[in-house]
Amino acid sequence: MTVSERPSPPSSGFSARRLIAIDDLSDDEIHYILNLAEYYAGYLKRAAPPPRRLAGKTQINLFFEDSTRTNLSFDLAGKKLGADVINVPVSASSVHKGETLVDTAQTLSAMGAHVMIVRAKEEGLHKTLDETLDCPVVNGGAGKLEHPTQALLDAATICSEFGTLEGLTIAICGDIKHSRVAGSDARLFRRLGAQVRFVGPENLLPDSNQFTDISRFHALKEGLDSADIVMGLRMQFERMEGDGRALAQGFFDEFGLTQETISYAKPSARVMHPGPMNRGVEIDGALADDPERSLILRQVFYGVATRMACLDALITKGI
C-alpha cells in the first residue's frame, strides 16, 4: 500500500476525542489513521521532513511502566510533527511523595498539554483521566487490557506487505492471557476483515468467557495451518501470579516459533512480534532475523509513522 497524497479525514469528520481502546475509533477513522500512517511512512522512507502539523502543540509522555519502543516512538513521532514533547521522569516525580497518578496527570495537563500519552498497569486509569483532563488521552499500554496504537501499527505493517487485512488468516501465539497487545490486535484485525486465531497452552489463553468468537488451538501445527501472519507474543512474567517463569518450562519445545514450525503456515507467511522478544523462549533468533520471513523491524518502523498519524488525527482532527 502506498499513499503519496495526504488522505482526507472521514466525510463525517474525525470525532474521536481519545484513544484508550480500539473501539474508540469508527471504521472510517481507523482507515483514515492507517492511510495517514502510510503517508507519513513515505516521508520517513525518504528521510524527508514531514509537515510540522503539531507546531506550537505540547505533547506529554507519562509512562508509569518501563517502555522502550512505545515511549521512544511517541517521542520521535511528536518531534517529527513539530510538537514540544515532554517526557516525564516518573522516577523523580511527586508520585514518590505520595501524589496520586491522577493528580500528577492533572498538574501536567494544567501546564498546557494538547495530548497526553499514558502507560500504566492500572487498568481503569485512562478512563478516569479522560473524564478529568481537557486534552486527548492516548493509551500507551494499560495492564492486560489494551494497547491500541500497537494494534494500529501492526495493521499498518500488514497492509504494507499484503495491501489489506481482508481475507487474511492471522495466528496470535503464546501468552495471550496476560497480553495487552493480543486483545487490541484481535479486535482490530477482525474489524478489518481478517480471521484471527489464538494459539497456545490452555493456561496462557484468555478465560473461556472472553473472545468467544475467536478460534483457539492448543497445538502449533493446527493453529498455524494456512496462516498468512504468525504473531508471536512474549511471556508477560511481570503480570503473572505466582511463579510465572515456571510456565515457560518446555514452552519453546511445544510452541516456539522457528524456521521449522513456521512451515506449518503458508509458504508466503510472515512472522511478527510486538517486542521485546525473548529469544529462545517464544521465538528463535534465526526466524526473528530472517529478512524473507520477518516483519519485526518493519513493525518498529511503522510504530513511528502510525503514532504520527494518531497524534495528528487526535489533535488536528484532519483539518
Side-chain angles (χ1 to χ4, degrees), residues 68-86:
T68 300
R69 294 159 186 76
T70 304
N71 197 350
L72 292 180
S73 62
F74 265 118
D75 178 85
L76 190 55
K79 289 175 178 175
K80 284 187 174 294
L81 292 173
D84 296 316
V85 181
I86 299 174

Side-chain angles (χ1 to χ4, degrees), residues 282-305:
E282 72 269 356
I283 189 168
D284 180 66
L287 177 60
D289 299 332
D290 185 345
E292 299 298 321
R293 287 285 200 177
S294 178
L295 299 180
I296 294 172
L297 289 181
R298 198 185 305 185
Q299 288 173 268
V300 178
F301 171 82
Y302 271 93
V304 178

Side-chain angles (χ1 to χ4, degrees), residues 235-313:
M235 289 284 192
Q236 310 281 313
F237 296 122
E238 71 278 13
R239 300 190 190 112
M240 295 178 184
E241 297 179 359
D243 184 10
R245 292 186 179 274
L247 295 175
Q249 298 299 318
F251 178 86
F252 187 77
D253 294 335
E254 191 171 358
F255 291 97
L257 300 180
T258 67
Q259 296 282 21
E260 179 181 357
T261 58
I262 195 70
S263 67
Y264 301 150
K266 287 182 178 178
S268 58
R270 298 292 182 264
V271 66
M272 299 174 67
H273 195 301
M277 292 183 292
N278 291 314
R279 293 173 183 250
V281 176
E282 72 269 356
I283 189 168
D284 180 66
L287 177 60
D289 299 332
D290 185 345
E292 299 298 321
R293 287 285 200 177
S294 178
L295 299 180
I296 294 172
L297 289 181
R298 198 185 305 185
Q299 288 173 268
V300 178
F301 171 82
Y302 271 93
V304 178
T306 304
R307 286 168 176 135
M308 290 172 70
C310 291
L311 292 170
D312 185 344

Side-chain angles (χ1 to χ4, degrees), residues 32-43:
Y32 172 61
I33 286 177
L34 293 178
N35 287 333
L36 194 56
E38 189 59 36
Y39 167 75
Y40 281 131
Y43 282 96

Side-chain angles (χ1 to χ4, degrees), residues 16-25 33 126 136-140 148-149 152 310 314:
R17 60 158 268 116
R18 67 182 192 180
L19 183 48
I20 296 174
I22 282 297
D23 289 342
D24 288 328
L25 302 173
I33 286 177
H126 294 84
V137 175
V138 179
N139 179 356
T149 61
L152 288 163
C310 291
L314 283 167

